[in-house]
């Protein structure tokens, strides 16, 4: 069907460099994507050329050339960690060609095909947050860019869990004063009613399509065209789905676009709230209950955790004891950060069992990965050896008082050394901000020469174990000299040295 694909070894002259074709990666309806080598430095890139099937009609080819050029131009003006960067574009043998970042990984469609089962909510939510974030970036361009073809094959997932949006073939800028799109596009099941040529699509079309994409990932069933899912329909297929998440999808996929999230930012915030377990379904679109944006995964936006820029998350004030940010509303939660599965975690009902995905929040692993605790439950009685429930004060076997180890930190800063018994969790580490009523348990305001973010890191207790999590701080946290990855929990062990700027904290248990 495709005429003469470029053979391996072909060298193409671009505008900025030469490229050697290393092999075909994939073919779409109108193009082909190859892995290539940039000749000047041997680095690997993806080369996409428009290569219509031989039987394509001339008008179709012309229309697709327009779309290809548009994709190329669009991508060159954009810069976002969830978009492949474009480094060159040129024509070869009359074919428009684009050289872009080579994304290692698979499309969500490939992943789903391989797994053939619903994915865990925590993974889908994390993908959804990243997709919403990049779509929000597109929607907030001037003029707004509507992606218009959000669906699993157009989303790639790297082994580190980073999402990259590919295929801008039908993305287009939103033109005010235009009542209708010139071309009706999108993919059945993912496209909202207004995309069936009945009106001009706006950002809310992408909201519907992202809802449909997440629905597909959660249920392993393609979305039914023009059908909002019903209450209970997601949970029926996947027990890891919470009622709150189901409501988010239902809202995103409302037929009436006025009833959907009105912006991608509010969709993202609703997903963040699901992830943090603080969602209030009837306030899904109320920005005042939304947390501040979390960082971009591999390229944090400095503004979000900058000690001088961002206000405290509004939800923090509304709920004095919110579920921890990394928590999960599921009564038997799997850890939201993709740690090894706990034995009591309920898997979705559909068969086969969903795959454990790569750590959802994790850029390339730099910290020692969190290893499963040696015991999932509580302390072992030193009298009779029985394992007890996590919060037991007396042994259920012999009645002896359970001796609890007290974790502590010895904190050394240029100004002081002090010891702190960790008795309250979560134990927040950061800089105080009285204006926001923010007073972390470990306040580094006087000690770190301005390095710590207000919400820098947190120590959380899980049974008898303690997890340190960097909350996307600007300047980072290191553990035993190794920089931590934001949101990737580190299981603290006695002797671990936590460093934030000039402050060092040594963890021990007595
Ligand atoms: N930047 C990239 N890095 C690595 N692989 C990529 C990249 N872009 C695309 N691919 C791979 O190539 C395949 C085809 O890409 P893409 O969907 O962009 O092509 P297309 O011709 O526009 O397809 P369609 O007909 O679906 O619009 C993808 O499914 C993906 O596997």
């Amino acid at each position: 069907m495709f005429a003469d694909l470029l053979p391996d070894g072909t060298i193409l002259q671009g505008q900025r460099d030469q490229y050697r074709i290393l092999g075909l990666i994939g073919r779409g309806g109108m193009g082909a994507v190859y892995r290539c080598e940039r000749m000047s430095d041997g680095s690997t890139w993806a080369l996409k050329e428009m290569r219509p099937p031989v039987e394509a009609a001339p008008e179709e080819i012309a229309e697709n050339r327009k779309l290809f050029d548009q994709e190329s131009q669009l991508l060159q003006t954009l810069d976002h960690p969830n978009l492949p960067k474009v480094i060159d574009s040129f024509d070869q043998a009359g074919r428009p060609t684009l050289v872009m970042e080579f994304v290692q990984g698979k499309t969500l469609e490939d992943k789903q095909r391989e797994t053939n089962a619903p994915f865990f909510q925590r993974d889908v939510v994390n993908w959804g947050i990243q997709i919403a974030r990049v779509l929000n970036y597109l929607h907030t361009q001037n003029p707004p860019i509507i992606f218009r073809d959000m669906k699993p094959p157009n989303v790639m997932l790297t082994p580190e869990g980073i999402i990259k949006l590919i295929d801008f073939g039908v993305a287009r800028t939103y033109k005010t004063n235009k009542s209708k799109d010139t071309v009706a596009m999108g993919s059945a099941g993912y496209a909202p009613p207004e995309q069936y040529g009945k009106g001009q699509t706006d950002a809310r079309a992408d909201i519907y399509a992202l809802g449909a994409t997440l629905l597909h990932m959660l249920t392993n069933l393609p979305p039914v065209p023009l059908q909002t899912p019903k209450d209970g329909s997601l949970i029926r297929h996947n027990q890891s789905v919470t009622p709150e998440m189901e409501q988010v999808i239902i809202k995103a996929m409302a037929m009436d676009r006025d009833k959907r999230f009105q912006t991608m930012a509010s969709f993202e915030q609703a997903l963040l709230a699901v992830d943090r377990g603080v969602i209030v379904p009837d306030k899904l679109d109320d920005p005042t209950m939304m947390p501040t944006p979390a960082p971009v995964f591999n390229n944090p936006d400095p503004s979000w955790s900058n000690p001088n820029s961002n206000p405290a998350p509004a939800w923090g004030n509304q709920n004095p004891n919110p579920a921890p940010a990394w928590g999960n509303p599921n009564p038997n939660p799997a850890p939201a950060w993709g740690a090894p599965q706990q034995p009591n975690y309920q898997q979705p009902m559909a068969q086969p069992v969903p795959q454990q995905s790569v750590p959802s929040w994790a850029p390339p692993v730099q910290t020692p990965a969190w290893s499963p605790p040696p015991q999932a439950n509580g302390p072992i009685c030193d009298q009779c050896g029985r394992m007890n429930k996590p919060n037991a004060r007396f042994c259920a076997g012999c009645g002896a008082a359970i001796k609890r180890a007290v974790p502590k930190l010895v904190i050394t800063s240029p100004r002081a050394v002090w010891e702190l018994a960790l008795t309250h969790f979560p134990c927040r580490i950061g800089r105080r901000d009285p204006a926001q009523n923010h007073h972390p348990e470990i306040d580094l305001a006087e000690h770190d020469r301005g390095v710590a973010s207000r919400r820098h890191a947190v120590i959380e207790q899980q049974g008898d174990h303690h997890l340190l999590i960097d909350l996307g701080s600007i300047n980072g946290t290191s553990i035993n000299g190794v920089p931590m990855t934001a949101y990737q929990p580190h299981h603290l062990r006695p002797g671990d040295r936590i460093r934030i700027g000039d402050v060092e904290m040594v963890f021990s248990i007595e």
Side-chain angles (χ1 to χ4, degrees), residues 483-503:
M484 289 185 75
T485 301
Y487 294 103
Q488 189 169 318
H490 170 84
H491 179 210
L492 284 169
R493 296 178 180 86
D496 275 352
R497 306 177 94 80
I498 305 165
R499 180 165 274 279
I500 295 173
D502 286 335
V503 180

Side-chain angles (χ1 to χ4, degrees), residues 418-481:
W418 73 103
E419 193 177 290
L420 180 77
L422 297 172
T423 50
H424 291 92
F425 297 95
C427 173
R428 297 163 300 167
I429 307 172
R431 298 162 65 81
R432 67 174 170 274
D433 181 356
Q436 298 291 338
N437 197 23
H438 174 61
H439 298 277
E441 282 72 19
I442 301 178
D443 183 357
L444 300 181
E446 266 82 87
H447 299 273
D448 72 326
R449 302 181 209 226
V451 168
S453 302
R454 283 180 303 187
R455 290 169 180 75
H456 194 103
V458 68
I459 298 174
E460 180 62 37
Q461 187 173 40
Q462 281 241 316
D464 276 352
H465 304 279
H466 300 91
L467 305 177
L468 172 70
I469 300 146
D470 179 283
L471 298 175
S473 65
I474 291 205
N475 294 307
T477 307
S478 69
I479 186 89
N480 303 323

Side-chain angles (χ1 to χ4, degrees), residues 25-33 46 48-49 71 84 100-107 110 149 151 153-154 156 166-169:
I25 306 174
R27 288 187 302 200
M30 280 284 159
V33 181
K48 179 170 179 172
E49 60 160 5
E71 171 176 21
M100 61 181 150
E101 178 186 339
F102 173 71
V103 182
Q104 208 130 33
K106 297 185 171 129
T107 66
D110 291 339
D149 203 13
K151 56 181 179 180
N154 288 343
M156 288 193 74
I166 55 168
D167 201 352
F168 275 63

Side-chain angles (χ1 to χ4, degrees), residues 70 74 78 135 137-141 143-150 165 167-175 181 192 194-195 200-207 209 257 264:
Q70 179 178 290
L74 264 182
L78 301 172
L135 289 175
Y137 166 80
L138 297 176
H139 295 169
T140 51
Q141 298 298 303
I145 296 166
I146 314 302
F147 188 69
R148 302 207 322 152
D149 203 13
M150 171 49 53
L165 231 53
D167 201 352
F168 275 63
V170 298
R172 60 185 50 208
T173 49
Y174 180 77
K175 305 205 176 46
D181 286 334
E194 68 269 20
Q195 216 165 325
Q200 193 189 178
T201 46
D202 61 19
R204 293 170 295 178
D206 285 349
I207 287 169
R257 59 183 169 183
M264 200 48 92

Side-chain angles (χ1 to χ4, degrees), residues 266-286:
S266 55
F267 192 176
E268 178 198 336
Q269 298 296 350
L271 291 169
L272 281 164
V274 167
D275 198 47
R276 292 169 180 178
V278 295
I279 204 154
V280 183
D282 59 353
K283 291 197 177 165
L284 288 174
D285 235 357
D286 175 358

